[in-house]
Amino acid sequence: QITLKESGPPLVKPTQTLTLTCTFSGFSVTTSEASVGWIRQSPGKALEWIGIIYGDDDKVYNPSLESRLTITKDTSKNQVVLTMTNMAPADTGTYYCAHGLDYWGQGTLVTVSS
Amino acid sequence: DVVMTQTPVSLSVTPGQPASISCKSSQSLLHSDGKTYLYWYLQKPGQPPQLLIYEVSTRLAGVPDRFSGSGSGTDFTLKISRVEAEDLGVYYCMQSVQLPLTFGGGTKVEIK
């Protein structure tokens, strides 16, 4: 059974760095075909793809966010970490991690406010 | 980026009646491998999106056959033959023919 769960701070201040962890089970991110991606959803708004990391450690980021993003993985812990710098109120939303296109975590709400 | 445009924005449907959602992409979603990478998701209140249909028309295991997807190139449609109360939520189309993945703006389906 494949599961994913996001964790991280519910509140960050503007200009701070956000670090979110996706802890998963039921698969491993060790082959080039395996992947974990991040997607976010602003309150009441549509979905925005953030980026993805593959088992061979290749990463692809959304160009609109790329300068602020880092995605890494720790295969021994079955975790993928998303780091986003210089957070702003417009980054407020629910952040999801996903395996492939059909397994998503429940999401974690992040509010950016002073 | 591939822009995905969904219509209508919202839909109010009587149970047992059909519903149809349109999704148009700014570029063809036909890949050189012959597959068309268009997906449909349903996001129920308080839940993450759940995949219903992939590659235009293939239902995920367990998805009722009242859901059907069709289309090609840049024009796609999701149809619900007979809407049930459990079908309420926001439907999104998504493309993966090109990174970044992009989603439509969503269609909110309400049950009358």
Side-chain angles (χ1 to χ4, degrees):
Chain A
Q1 182 189 5
I2 291 175
T3 64
L4 303 98
K5 185 173 183 179
E6 307 85 354
S7 59
L11 179 66
V12 296
K13 294 183 179 349
T15 75
Q16 286 187 337
T17 295
L18 172 69
T19 300
L20 295 177
T21 300
C22 176
T23 303
F24 55 86
S25 63
F27 67 97
S28 61
V29 190
T30 54
T31 64
S32 59
E33 296 81 21
S35 66
V36 171
W38 289 92
I39 305 100
R40 69 180 181 178
Q41 185 170 35
S42 302
K45 298 279 182 72
L47 298 152
E48 181 180 28
W49 184 79
I50 297 171
I52 192 168
I53 186 166
Y54 295 94
D56 59 3
D57 215 37
D58 189 22
K59 299 142 194 174
V60 182
Y61 300 122
N62 190 322
S64 67
L65 298 167
E66 185 165 10
S67 63
R68 302 168 52 204
L69 295 177
T70 304
I71 299 177
T72 60
K73 63 181 174 71
D74 185 333
T75 53
S76 66
K77 294 182 179 178
N78 276 359
Q79 290 181 333
V80 169
V81 175
L82 169 71
T83 303
M84 184 179 294
T85 61
N86 195 23
M87 293 290 285
D91 296 312
T92 293
T94 298
Y95 286 72
Y96 298 97
C97 61
H99 171 56
L101 298 177
D102 52 348
Y103 294 97
W104 293 51
Q106 286 298 307
T108 186
L109 177 61
V110 178
T111 301
V112 183
S113 175
S114 54
Chain B
D1 296 3
V2 179
V3 177
M4 306 294 287
T5 303
Q6 275 181 249
T7 55
V9 172
S10 63
L11 205 48
S12 184
V13 188
T14 300
Q17 293 301 302
S20 180
I21 299 169
S22 171
C23 176
K24 296 183 188 296
S25 58
S26 61
Q27 303 173 30
S28 174
L29 302 187
L30 175 62
H31 193 273
S32 56
D33 64 5
K35 296 180 181 179
T36 300
Y37 290 100
L38 184 280
Y39 303 79
W40 289 99
Y41 288 85
L42 165 59
Q43 185 173 31
K44 296 183 178 182
Q47 295 185 21
Q50 59 186 83
L51 183 63
L52 297 176
I53 289 174
Y54 62 96
E55 293 171 17
V56 180
S57 59
T58 304
R59 283 187 304 275
L60 214 64
V63 173
D65 60 7
R66 63 179 181 274
F67 290 93
S68 64
S70 63
S72 63
T74 62
D75 287 354
F76 304 94
T77 302
L78 175 70
K79 292 184 179 178
I80 310 173
S81 59
R82 295 172 305 280
V83 170
E84 297 189 5
E86 66 183 24
D87 300 336
L88 73 90
V90 182
Y91 290 78
Y92 294 97
C93 58
M94 188 207 75
Q95 67 79 26
S96 71
V97 73
Q98 177 186 117
L99 294 178
L101 306 185
T102 48
F103 296 83
T107 296
K108 186 174 185 178
V109 172
E110 298 174 323
I111 308 299
K112 286 182 181 175

